[in-house]
Amino acid sequence: MNALTFPTPASSEAAEALRAEVRAFLAETIADRPPHKRAETWFGFDAGFSEKLAAKGWVAMTWPKRYGGHERSALERYVVLEELLAAGAPVAAHWIADRQSGPTLMKFGTERQKADILPRIAAGKCFFCIGMSEPDAGSDLAAVRMLARKVEGGYVVNGTKLWTSFGHHAHYMILFCRTDPASQRQEGTSQFLVDLATPGISIKPIVDISGSHHFNEVHFTDVFLSDDAIIGAPGNGWQQVTSELALERSGPERFLSSFELLVRLVAWLQSRPESQAESQAEPQAEALVGRLVAHLAVLRRLSRSVATLLENGENPGLQAAIVKDLGATLEQEMPEVIRHVLALEPMVESPDPAAAVLAQLILSAPGFSLRGGTREILRGIIARGLGLR
Amino acid sequence: MSFEASLLFETADRLLAKECTAERLLEAQAGGWLAGPWAALEQAGLTQAMSLGEELPASTAVQLARIAGSHALPLPLAETMLAGWLLARAGLDAPEGAISLAMGDDLSFEDGKASGTLRRVPWGRHVAHVVTVVERYGVAHLLCLPTAGAGLTEGANLAFEPRDDLAVDSAPVAAAAFADGVAGFRAAAAAIRALAMAGAMASTLDLTVRYANERSQFGRPIGKFQAIQHNMAILAGQAAAALGAGDIAAEALGAREIGVLPIAIAKVRAGEAAGIVAGLAHQIHGAIGFSQEYRLHFLTKRLWSWREEFGAEAEWSRLIGRQAVAAGPEGLWPLVASI
């Protein structure tokens, strides 16, 4: 056999009981959320919702109690995440902190950083953004040029971070930059915990093709960061940042982005009058629903399997890249194939929810195979994992 | 997986690797019955692996279908072990020897006797019995039909595996009510094809990775070219999806009631992957993969055949689709999450 080991996903009764609880909460809390907003999935921002979710104990679920966490299992966390995403709940506010920044601090941060920040994340009141990409460092993250120059008692930072999602709402950034001016590529890089209220930081919007403002450019001009802002060991940035990326690649957010459109297709099929339901298009539309459900169910299994590997302390880099590549491909294919059946003009402001969801997804779909590692980068990782190169 | 199970799978894998040589596969392709290898499978207990009770749950044992598929085994191992398990499920004794499975759509059953035609019976000319299902007065019956005396019309799938029609007239059969119904029977048969496809795709991936690392053009192994690497990555993703689908099918088979919906999902997903995997494997192999002397075609021809057997994607995806539409917009996610 080959390297494609996907073990049976873990399951538990506790997780299923929790699932019912989450569904009941969502049915009440986001009952009025319109379908095209649900289709924003993890790009839907609502600070109030994040706080309510935290009050239920569904943020920072797996963290130790002394940091405000709830010491639930990774499986239970997975259940909450997939229920939130499938329902199209607005999770963006706490999403990055809960998934990525918090775990990085937990793993590499100082006790003081952890005690200060983690309980606030867990309360759903402290939001993070990621400071990785730069104008000349996109897929090639090792090309970062931004420099934190060592001075007495700290560092002075100059440069620009780009494509910073929700930087305009975030309280903190985890900054990845160079600390050794003479260093090349992966060497001499470090991570910092940056309070975005620090003088010298300015945040400017980058409007995306849909007209939405998620992205930002974040400029640092002579920003002073004290020594205790550093996360982990100086010079260890690359090792830390790559372990952070592994957390990014195989969750339910990697295949559920277009789920709301399938919900709309099913609603459309169900609501048609009998006379139309027997038309020629019917078997094709049903078969399409079936095919997409099959894809989703299998991806969900693979994704839960990777979560199980992560939970067991393994490093499923290859499997995670496969899940993300398959997932993004499906998310992008869904609006393209569903539009053939719906035959609706995509309209952002349409009163027809299917048309509005279709519009939302067509405009966001290009990003699905860019964010968190482009398709090309992932396929390179997969090829290497297979033993090519 | 238990120690017993992993031991059994290792034994099976080694045995099949030894028995499924290119010469043997060609011999089977020409219509021959591999009596020696079949005896070896029986002796190793593999043909009854699904009937070991608690020692080895059916949901685990059925993974042998995947291992058989990974070696392109030209023998009805999966059919025989599944048939034995289905018979036991209906309270019937399994006969000795090779048993096949077929749908009983063109068969009638009256007073303990069956008449009509079993179509496209896998290995029909070589097996002593066929297990099938017919519905009578709204009750599904599992039948175990001896092939002796049946009128034989030989046929084959694209991989030259026998797919024969067997005609019977008032043939005495063993029969019992079958709680999983016609749909459950068809799903069980589809499950072993989904698993076999997953196995064949895993082997196709291995074979193709090896070839891409060995074959040099323009002064370096072709696996160093990014275009090949990206096709390999797509191939691997589809193989992974097929393996996941196979696991879903295996678990659904071992459930208290045979899970028709999850098996439908598995057959649809594995079937779609099969075409992509076979196509990319041939593309990466170039001309050699297109020749009889190289092993790839034993796998790809099976993939192209098995995706249609016991229900193509067109059929199973409609079944899933109808259930999803019945579940409605509110019930869609719970349906997906129930798999």
Side-chain angles (χ1 to χ4, degrees):
Chain A
M1 278 304 272
N2 46 57
L4 293 186
T5 307
F6 285 90
T8 303
S11 62
S12 79
E13 278 179 28
E16 292 312 303
L18 178 61
R19 187 187 298 284
E21 234 184 288
V22 178
R23 282 182 189 167
F25 168 79
L26 290 173
E28 192 186 310
T29 318
I30 59 164
D32 298 333
R33 191 165 175 78
H36 71 277
K37 296 298 283 178
R38 292 176 189 256
E40 292 178 0
T41 61
W42 46 294
F43 275 70
F45 188 98
D46 180 346
F49 177 82
S50 290
E51 217 172 313
K52 278 184 214 161
L53 199 68
K56 296 292 288 184
W58 296 336
V59 177
M61 285 179 71
T62 60
W63 303 0
K65 287 190 172 155
R66 68 194 152 99
Y67 296 126
H70 304 278
E71 300 184 1
R72 308 289 290 256
S73 68
L75 176 66
E76 289 170 309
R77 177 169 181 273
Y78 191 99
V79 165
V80 171
L81 286 190
E82 67 173 352
E83 289 298 325
L84 289 169
L85 293 166
V91 293
H94 68 278
W95 183 259
I96 293 167
D98 178 61
R99 172 171 79 158
Q100 207 165 327
S101 314
T104 293
L105 286 172
M106 189 81 72
K107 201 163 167 194
F108 301 108
T110 62
E111 190 49 45
R112 199 170 137 195
Q113 288 167 341
K114 289 197 266 192
D116 178 25
I117 303 285
L118 296 178
R120 288 194 276 151
I121 295 177
K125 292 176 181 173
C126 178
F127 311 141
F128 269 71
C129 61
I130 298 167
M132 290 194 198
S133 295
E134 292 181 12
D136 293 318
S139 285
D140 183 11
L141 184 59
V144 290
R145 283 208 294 240
M146 194 163 169
L147 178 67
R149 191 168 42 84
K150 188 74 188 93
V151 295
E152 180 68 35
Y155 295 81
V156 172
V157 191
N158 278 287
T160 298
K161 287 293 173 185
L162 215 56
W163 314 120
T164 313
S165 295
F166 299 108
H168 55 308
H169 291 307
H171 305 103
Y172 290 90
M173 168 190 278
I174 290 187
L175 170 68
F176 172 73
C177 69
R178 220 158 271 292
T179 37
D180 175 358
S183 64
Q184 294 292 318
R185 304 292 297 163
Q186 293 91 342
E187 302 301 315
T189 55
S190 305
Q191 282 186 303
F192 292 92
L193 173 64
V194 180
D195 184 339
L196 290 172
T198 311
I201 297 175
S202 68
I203 300 174
K204 294 203 179 113
I206 301 174
V207 177
D208 72 19
I209 61 169
S210 73
S212 306
H213 171 205
H214 302 124
F215 293 136
N216 298 275
E217 33 184 90
V218 183
H219 301 281
F220 286 67
T221 310
D222 292 330
V223 174
F224 177 77
L225 301 176
S226 65
D227 280 328
D228 57 14
I230 210 151
I231 300 170
N236 195 37
W238 185 259
Q239 282 69 31
Q240 294 175 200
V241 96
T242 45
S243 86
E244 188 176 327
L245 284 171
L247 302 171
E248 248 204 86
R249 288 215 166 115
S250 57
E253 71 277 13
R254 296 307 181 190
F255 57 91
L256 287 175
S257 302
S258 296
F259 184 70
E260 184 62 28
L261 188 59
L262 186 58
V263 174
R264 291 301 117 208
L265 176 59
V266 165
W268 178 78
L269 275 167
Q270 200 188 41
S271 66
R272 285 187 312 161
E274 282 292 318
S275 57
Q276 276 186 40
E278 281 161 23
S279 75
Q280 286 293 315
E282 176 85 358
Q284 270 188 1
E286 272 179 359
L288 175 62
V289 170
R291 173 176 170 257
L292 295 174
V293 166
H295 274 258
L296 286 166
V298 170
L299 263 164
R300 178 172 174 270
R301 180 179 177 99
L302 296 182
S303 163
R304 288 162 67 231
S305 179
V306 175
T308 304
L309 286 169
L310 283 170
E311 173 77 350
N312 295 342
E314 296 185 50
N315 182 16
L318 170 63
Q319 291 94 326
I322 284 175
V323 169
K324 183 174 180 313
D325 187 37
L326 284 173
T329 302
L330 177 68
E331 290 177 338
Q332 288 177 335
E333 187 188 3
M334 283 172 71
E336 292 303 306
V337 292
I338 290 175
R339 63 175 276 280
H340 285 291
V341 174
L342 287 176
L344 276 176
E345 187 184 350
M347 275 192 282
V348 175
E349 301 299 337
S350 174
D352 180 341
V357 169
L358 186 61
Q360 162 68 27
L361 285 173
I362 286 172
L363 292 175
S364 52
F368 299 164
S369 57
L370 302 176
R371 60 194 188 189
T374 65
R375 171 169 295 141
E376 290 70 22
I377 291 291
L378 292 172
R379 289 187 178 169
I381 292 171
I382 296 167
R384 199 168 51 228
L386 292 171
L388 299 175
R389 289 192 180 189
Chain B
M1 200 196 304
S2 69
F3 176 71
E4 287 78 13
S6 45
L7 195 68
L8 180 81
F9 290 166
E10 269 170 44
T11 308
D13 199 36
R14 260 202 313 275
L15 181 66
L16 294 179
K18 189 172 111 232
E19 302 291 351
C20 297
T21 59
E23 294 74 24
R24 289 252 176 79
L25 286 166
L26 284 172
E27 188 189 331
Q29 201 171 279
W33 172 253
L34 305 181
W38 180 258
L41 297 180
E42 284 196 322
Q43 198 171 1
L46 300 182
T47 56
Q48 293 178 35
M50 287 182 72
S51 306
L52 299 177
E54 281 176 23
E55 209 177 310
L56 187 67
S59 58
T60 307
V62 74
Q63 292 275 357
L64 278 176
R66 172 178 55 77
I67 296 173
S70 75
H71 294 282
L73 172 71
L75 286 168
L77 169 62
E79 287 86 348
T80 300
M81 67 179 192
L82 179 62
W85 179 76
L86 289 168
L87 288 169
R89 222 170 148 77
L92 296 170
D93 288 332
E96 296 272 307
I99 318 172
S100 191
L101 298 160
M103 297 309 294
D105 300 345
D106 296 329
L107 203 68
S108 64
F109 169 59
E110 203 76 47
D111 297 331
K113 292 191 172 122
S115 299
T117 306
L118 290 168
R119 302 202 185 275
R120 306 288 293 172
V121 181
W123 312 94
R125 74 197 73 160
H126 297 303
V127 298
H129 293 85
V130 182
V131 170
T132 187
V133 68
V134 289
E135 209 169 68
R136 192 160 163 268
Y137 304 127
V139 180
H141 285 74
L142 197 71
L143 311 185
C144 185
L145 199 132
T147 57
L152 172 71
T153 309
E154 293 193 352
N157 67 14
L158 297 178
F160 303 101
E161 291 180 311
R163 297 293 185 260
D164 304 325
D165 287 356
L166 295 172
V168 290
D169 188 12
S170 295
V173 297
F178 185 61
D180 292 293
V182 175
F185 179 90
R186 190 165 173 78
I192 59 171
R193 287 295 183 268
L195 277 157
M197 282 194 279
M201 282 185 253
S203 288
T204 300
L205 174 62
D206 285 346
L207 201 59
T208 311
V209 167
R210 206 179 319 147
Y211 184 78
N213 278 330
E214 282 168 10
R215 169 72 173 169
S216 274
Q217 287 287 275
F218 306 102
R220 50 186 174 145
I222 60 169
K224 296 227 181 267
F225 291 94
Q226 203 173 45
I228 299 279
Q229 291 182 351
H230 285 202
N231 276 340
M232 284 297 319
I234 298 169
L235 196 165
Q238 295 299 320
L243 287 165
D247 289 344
I248 287 175
E251 283 173 19
L253 196 66
R256 205 168 45 82
E257 212 173 289
I258 293 172
V260 176
L261 178 68
I263 292 173
I265 283 170
K267 188 70 165 49
V268 165
R269 188 63 188 90
E272 183 175 327
I276 301 170
V277 165
L280 287 173
H282 276 291
Q283 185 63 30
I284 294 165
H285 273 90
I288 189 70
F290 207 52
S291 74
Q292 181 102 280
E293 69 176 86
Y294 187 80
R295 197 178 171 83
L296 180 62
H297 69 99
F298 294 122
L299 296 164
T300 53
K301 286 187 309 201
R302 281 171 171 76
L303 288 173
W304 290 320
S305 300
W306 292 341
R307 56 187 177 167
E308 253 69 41
E309 294 180 2
F310 298 112
E313 294 99 281
E315 174 190 331
W316 287 117
S317 62
R318 277 201 70 192
L319 179 140
I320 306 163
R322 276 195 298 269
Q323 290 199 27
V325 173
E330 302 290 323
L332 179 64
W333 172 250
L335 180 136
V336 172
S338 73
I339 301 303

